[in-house]
Amino acid sequence: SLAQPELRQRKTEITRDQMDVDDSLVSGPRILVSLQYNDTEEILSVTIHRAVELPTENTSDVPDPFVKIILLPDRPKKRKTDYVKESTSPEWEETFEYNIPRGQVRDKEMELVVVDRKGLFCRSADLCRTLLHLCDCCDLSGRRTARWFPLTSGDSPRVETTSFF
């Protein structure tokens, strides 16, 4: 069965002190994401917190970034954050929920694509992306885990295999 995304929820109460954040990645374009799996309800919560050092062609054309979230291999309706106007270090603090049976969580991947919303009549341009293997970065114990993931430019996403635990 396909994972059915639920309505997104904006949660701004989560502070850095409440999260176990891995800060080992300290340079280059990156995105802070937290994951939490509720075993009772079989819901994976994905929070897109912020990104830093997003690439820009020149300093006079700062991007209006948002994040597209694609759950693979199902490819249900793509989810996306709101855009942040003119920022190379945007903050979203948006949470998305996916109904995924426990036995299927570790078979999924999540592609995060940071996109520049150029303007009302222009096609959005991909800035950078990453690919998360949930088997390597989702703690099924119910603990919220957060970490920085590197973002790469171009069409091929970097496969992230480092574990949260």
Side-chain angles (χ1 to χ4, degrees):
S1 88
L2 296 177
Q4 299 298 315
E6 298 294 324
L7 293 175
R8 71 175 172 218
Q9 304 168 21
R10 183 177 293 266
K11 295 183 181 179
T12 56
E13 309 86 43
I14 299 170
T15 65
R16 193 176 190 290
D17 295 337
Q18 295 171 306
M19 294 187 300
D20 178 19
V21 179
D22 177 357
D23 281 333
S24 62
L25 185 65
V26 293
S27 66
R30 57 201 183 276
I31 188 166
L32 180 61
V33 177
S34 65
L35 301 169
Q36 182 175 27
Y37 186 74
N38 181 324
D39 195 33
T40 307
E41 297 179 21
E42 295 188 326
I43 292 176
L44 174 66
S45 297
V46 179
T47 302
I48 308 297
H49 296 283
R50 63 184 171 273
V52 294
E53 296 183 34
L54 294 180
T56 181
E57 300 261 335
N58 60 57
T59 56
S60 64
D61 188 24
V62 180
D64 295 342
F66 66 92
V67 179
K68 284 193 303 189
I69 305 157
I70 305 148
L71 186 65
L72 303 170
D74 304 330
R75 292 194 176 275
K77 181 181 168 190
K78 292 177 186 171
R79 312 293 303 282
K80 64 181 184 177
T81 64
D82 292 332
Y83 77 94
V84 175
K85 190 159 181 62
E86 298 181 352
S87 178
T88 57
S89 296
E91 292 191 22
W92 295 283
E93 295 300 334
E94 292 186 47
T95 298
F96 301 87
E97 294 181 340
Y98 296 89
N99 291 327
I100 306 174
R102 181 184 177 94
Q104 295 179 14
V105 172
R106 299 212 178 244
D107 297 330
K108 307 289 184 196
E109 296 175 325
M110 185 165 288
E111 184 175 20
L112 304 176
V113 184
V114 180
V115 181
D116 180 8
R117 179 187 174 269
K118 294 237 182 240
L120 190 57
F121 301 108
C122 299
R123 182 174 178 178
S124 299
D126 293 357
L127 293 172
C128 45
R129 61 183 63 218
T130 192
L131 183 65
L132 313 179
H133 291 284
L134 296 184
C135 64
D136 295 322
C137 59
C138 185
D139 182 352
L140 295 179
S141 72
R143 182 176 62 106
R144 177 179 300 276
T145 52
R147 104 165 240 234
W148 289 100
F149 291 94
L151 294 166
T152 58
S153 299
D155 293 332
S156 57
R158 174 179 172 160
V159 176
E160 184 56 49
T161 57
T162 306
S163 176
F164 267 118
F165 35 85

